[in-house]
Amino acid sequence: MGDFGSFNGNYAGDFAQNPTIVDSQATYVREQAERVSVRRVYAEMTVGLIVTTLVAMFTQSTGALYSYLYATGRFGFFGIIIAQVVLAVVLGMRVMKMSVFAARAMFYAYAALTGFTLSTIFTVFSLGSIAMVLALTAGFFLCLTMLALTTKVNMLKAGPILMVALLVLCVSQVILMFVAPSAGTMRFIAAIAVLIFAGLTAYDAQKTRAIFEAYANQPEMIKRVSIICAFNLYLDFINMFVYLLELLGNRRD
């Protein structure tokens, strides 16, 4: 027992005399916590993508979307869009004040609605090209996020530029749909959109890491922000997939 006590005393003395050891230990613990939090974000995002995929497949196999639109008409279509916008806005603005369960439920509800509307791709594109583009998107997304989390380039500074580019893209797409609704124009827009969402993916990956650094000592807040971070990355993935499908997908005859 005497030897053990002496060892503990010497060990504590080493820490007192070498504050660098304490700093290194604290840094290691913080980095471990951040890695766990980042994994939680990508797990949440993956569940959201699974929900979207399953709902899209079910909707297509049952014809639920067409039955819904037949019964509700144009109002039903705009109702889905409004519901998605409301869910996204409320989740973004209130995530810090709502419960983790409520935030997660809203995220998955949004993912389900996305799957409901995204089911139309099965009637436009061949199943093989959908699978190919999905795999390509997953690989591209993974490379972008890994690069963003390991590079020393600060993508956070590009955030405002990317947001303006996204706004210009949305406005341009709506205008061109009426002015020059050709396949070539839509593919050109899709190519630009892929580049924008590639940038947003890298930006959101670094933003996720920065947020976790800011809330490193607040585990309850980490649970909330992990959902909104997962939601942002989910949106990047879905949009990149849709635009890559428009760019590379084989349409049905």
Side-chain angles (χ1 to χ4, degrees), residues 52-244:
T52 297
T53 302
L54 293 177
V55 171
M57 294 174 65
F58 175 80
T59 302
Q60 172 60 21
S61 64
T62 59
L65 178 61
Y66 298 105
S67 299
Y68 169 79
L69 293 177
Y70 181 78
T72 60
R74 188 175 301 177
F75 294 104
F77 173 75
F78 286 111
I80 295 176
I81 295 176
I82 292 171
Q84 287 183 291
V85 171
V86 169
L87 284 172
V89 171
V90 172
L91 185 60
M93 295 180 64
R94 303 286 298 176
V95 67
M96 296 301 186
K97 297 181 179 179
M98 65 177 64
S99 68
V100 175
F101 175 81
R104 185 175 289 115
M106 292 184 69
F107 173 29
Y108 295 157
Y110 185 97
L113 285 175
T114 300
F116 190 61
T117 56
L118 202 60
S119 63
T120 55
I121 64 173
F122 292 105
T123 60
V124 178
F125 300 94
S126 65
L127 188 59
S129 68
I130 291 174
M132 182 271 292
V133 172
L134 181 60
L136 179 63
T137 305
F140 190 30
F141 185 89
L142 178 62
C143 290
L144 284 169
T145 53
M146 292 299 293
L147 179 63
L149 292 173
T150 56
T151 186
K152 294 182 180 180
V153 178
N154 186 3
M155 286 296 298
L156 297 179
K157 295 180 180 179
I161 299 173
L162 290 168
M163 293 303 172
V164 171
L166 181 60
L167 179 61
V168 172
L169 172 73
C170 294
V171 174
S172 300
Q173 188 171 3
V174 172
I175 294 173
L176 289 173
M177 284 178 62
F178 294 98
V179 176
S182 65
T185 301
M186 291 300 104
R187 289 194 173 187
F188 176 72
I189 290 291
I192 296 175
V194 168
L195 294 176
I196 293 174
F197 280 104
L200 284 170
T201 297
Y203 166 78
D204 284 328
Q206 288 195 356
K207 183 179 177 182
T208 296
R209 184 176 60 188
I211 289 174
F212 288 145
E213 289 176 355
Y215 290 102
N217 299 320
Q218 302 180 52
E220 192 61 30
M221 296 301 291
I222 286 289
K223 293 179 182 178
R224 290 187 173 90
V225 297
S226 65
I227 295 173
I228 193 63
C229 289
F231 180 64
N232 290 334
L233 288 166
Y234 165 88
L235 291 176
D236 295 334
F237 187 99
I238 288 294
N239 281 284
M240 193 182 302
F241 167 70
V242 169
Y243 284 113
L244 278 174

